Amino acid sequence: MSGHEQWKQINISAFSDFLFRQELLPNLFGKETPFILYWAGKDLARKYPLATIDDVIAFFEQAGWGNLSLLEEKKDQCELRLEGPLVAMRFDYSGECTFQLEAGFLAQQFEQQKGYVTEAFEQQKRRAKTVLFTVKWDRKDEADR
């Protein structure tokens, strides 16, 4: 059994993830936290390359990031929605929350899948307790392979 497969067998509490994201990282990195998380998400995507959007959706669920769904895909961008109990819990927290780890992960996965330089942007829908991601790739700017 590979190291990655062993992790699938262990359940970590949502509270542990919450403490890490909402308390520890902002205390360490302050205003730079969203930028660092975006970069970290891209780095994770390089370490866990996924072949399809279905694989990305499954990864989000396994990582405990929430329920990801593809809303629309066009020739140079797509829209995705992230929701679920863990996402709602993060919105219920009285402090700021960011989904830049997920945005960076999406940007890098789509860059690897599409072959073009890609960015992802989050739009929080606090009332609905969901996050919309817009992922855009530049068809004139091929990614380094």
Side-chain angles (χ1 to χ4, degrees), residues 33 49 67 108:
T33 301
N67 304 320
Q108 188 62 38

Side-chain angles (χ1 to χ4, degrees), residues 2 22 28 46 67 71 99 106 125 141:
S2 73
Q22 299 300 130
L28 289 172
R46 287 184 200 100
N67 304 320
L71 300 177
F99 294 86
L106 288 169
K125 302 290 187 179
D141 193 1

